[in-house]
Amino acid sequence: MDTCLDCKRVTETVTDIRTGDTICTECSLVISDHYIDDSQEWRTFANDDNCDRDPNRVGAATNPLLKSGGIGTIIDKTTTTSKNNDLIVTRTQNLVIRNSEEDMIVKACQEIKKMTDGLNLVSGVEFRACEIVSKFNGDNSKRLSRRKHLTAVCAAAVSTACREMNLSRTLKEISTVAHGVSLKDINKASMAIRRLLESSDQGETASSSSSPCAAPPPQVIIKTGELVRRFCSKLDITERETKAIREAVEIADNFDIRRNPKSVLATIIFMISQLSKTKRNPIRDIAMATEVVENTIKSSARDMYPYASKIIPKWYASEEEVTRLGGIIGSWDAARD
């Protein structure tokens, strides 16, 4: 709706997109001209020869993690007229314009996305891991290399991002999505990342940051509360059993059980599952879900059984039921003898 000078009132108008004129629908007066459409433009600008290429007006969004912003120039070799020109263009493209190090950063970010998707991690972990990897876009001592080293650095970056965001993801879990890379390689890459981050924060030189005397990277903090939800979901454990497991894990912290948190959690899941009246998960399935060896769960159960009556909530199981659990654990010793 615009005010028409001839009609002397507000009237409906129509815009002629071809000419850019705004026209009154009552008296056909051109109220304004040279209209500029500021909406999104979805047109493409294909070549007239109807070839397969269909270049768009704009490219991808700028990448804040790259020094160049991801903006570059690609020289089309088909526009040259001779083989000599082709060689000159190719040489210029490879040696001057193309940034191979940024290409490695882009590949690393793609690999990180695959890993975070495989582990069902939040998008914040992916961005932080890519941000860590982008710091390698520096001098020769911080360059990324191809093949296994690139995958190991990506896995270490994901591990570091999880640790910074207080997410319980062990190196063993991360290695399951880092195909062809060992835990030793990931640990080595984690040390390099730690030195890089320390030098970046403290403003140290590259030579001092690459000192071989650097301390090993801190281990990922295991939050048993998060592991309870994850492992119980894998084993399809009911809400009642999950609540009992969570309470038992909290009570177990008050006792001197010299086992790592994952072994303690796997053993408690086994005990609660054996006392369940709906579904009893076999020890093999529990070992696969918690990534703890069966023999480790059995040995942990022997160590923890003296505390079982105090660890397992009273509302979940009676003293008689806990005593029957001791018979199952005792049968292992009999079979071993």
Side-chain angles (χ1 to χ4, degrees):
M1 303 287 287
D2 283 319
T3 302
C4 178
L5 298 178
D6 271 7
C7 300
K8 306 296 184 182
R9 59 189 176 88
V10 177
T11 59
E12 292 186 2
T13 59
V14 62
T15 301
D16 187 342
I17 299 177
R18 185 176 61 84
T19 61
D21 297 335
T22 302
I23 305 169
C24 175
T25 57
E26 298 290 338
C27 64
S28 301
L29 175 70
V30 176
I31 299 176
S32 63
D33 56 0
H34 301 296
Y35 171 78
I36 299 176
D37 186 5
D38 57 359
S39 62
Q40 291 179 331
E41 184 173 26
W42 298 107
R43 289 187 299 159
T44 56
F45 297 81
N47 294 334
D48 296 333
D49 54 2
N50 293 324
C51 64
D52 294 334
R53 277 174 291 175
D54 189 20
N56 292 319
R57 183 181 182 90
V58 294
T62 57
N63 190 342
L65 301 179
L66 301 178
K67 290 183 178 179
S68 66
I71 301 174
T73 303
I74 298 177
I75 301 176
D76 190 358
K77 291 185 287 188
T78 59
T79 59
T80 59
T81 57
S82 66
K83 292 183 178 180
N84 290 334
N85 287 338
D86 281 345
L87 291 174
I88 295 173
V89 168
T90 303
R91 204 171 292 166
T92 304
Q93 178 74 24
N94 292 334
L95 298 180
V96 180
I97 298 175
R98 187 164 174 242
N99 190 330
S100 59
E101 185 60 26
E102 288 196 351
D103 290 345
M104 294 297 296
I105 299 295
V106 172
K107 289 182 181 179
C109 291
Q110 293 172 350
E111 185 68 24
I112 287 172
K113 179 171 178 56
K114 293 179 184 178
M115 293 181 182
T116 53
D117 289 346
L119 293 170
N120 294 321
L121 296 172
V122 295
S123 59
V125 175
E126 176 190 345
F127 181 81
R128 176 54 183 160
C130 292
E131 189 178 33
I132 292 172
V133 169
S134 68
K135 294 181 182 295
F136 282 88
N137 188 12
D139 53 47
N140 291 329
S141 64
K142 302 176 184 176
R143 291 294 172 90
L144 288 174
S145 59
R146 300 180 184 274
R147 297 178 184 174
K148 270 176 44 171
H149 179 259
L150 179 65
T151 306
V153 170
C154 293
V158 172
S159 175
T160 303
C162 288
R163 185 170 63 249
E164 290 180 353
M165 300 181 69
N166 294 325
L167 295 177
S168 300
R169 289 298 188 276
T170 61
L171 289 181
K172 188 175 181 180
E173 289 180 278
I174 295 174
S175 66
T176 58
V177 294
H179 305 293
V181 178
S182 64
L183 288 174
K184 182 179 179 181
D185 295 330
I186 299 176
N187 266 318
K188 186 177 179 181
S190 297
M191 293 176 64
I193 286 178
R194 188 187 182 196
R195 291 194 298 265
L196 179 64
L197 295 178
E198 286 178 351
S199 65
S200 177
D201 294 338
Q202 300 174 7
E204 297 176 350
T205 62
S207 58
S208 62
S209 67
S210 59
S211 172
C213 299
Q219 296 296 318
V220 176
I221 300 174
I222 298 178
K223 298 173 66 177
T224 52
E226 182 187 345
L227 294 180
V228 168
R229 294 193 299 272
R230 188 140 42 94
F231 292 160
C232 290
S233 176
K234 288 182 179 179
L235 293 167
D236 195 21
I237 295 177
T238 62
E239 185 62 31
R240 183 173 182 269
E241 276 73 28
T242 301
K243 181 181 178 182
I245 292 170
R246 186 178 292 108
E247 290 185 13
V249 168
E250 293 175 356
I251 298 172
D253 290 338
N254 300 322
F255 296 93
D256 185 19
I257 302 174
R258 299 183 179 180
R259 295 280 178 174
N260 67 63
K262 284 185 69 175
S263 299
V264 172
L265 175 56
T267 304
I268 290 176
I269 291 175
F270 168 75
M271 290 180 174
I272 297 295
S273 179
Q274 292 302 311
L275 296 172
S276 175
K277 298 178 182 178
T278 56
K279 179 183 178 182
R280 296 181 180 179
N281 292 285
I283 191 171
R284 179 180 298 177
D285 293 347
I286 296 174
M288 291 181 61
T290 59
E291 299 177 354
V292 178
V293 182
E294 291 184 37
N295 289 335
T296 302
I297 297 177
K298 290 181 179 180
S299 61
S300 298
R302 295 188 190 97
D303 295 341
M304 292 176 59
Y305 179 70
Y307 310 102
S309 59
K310 299 178 181 179
I311 291 176
I312 298 174
K314 302 295 183 183
W315 59 265
Y316 182 78
S318 62
E319 291 285 346
E320 293 78 9
E321 291 173 326
V322 175
T323 303
R324 288 198 296 270
L325 177 62
I328 297 174
I329 297 174
S331 64
W332 297 336
D333 296 328
R336 183 176 58 180
D337 295 339

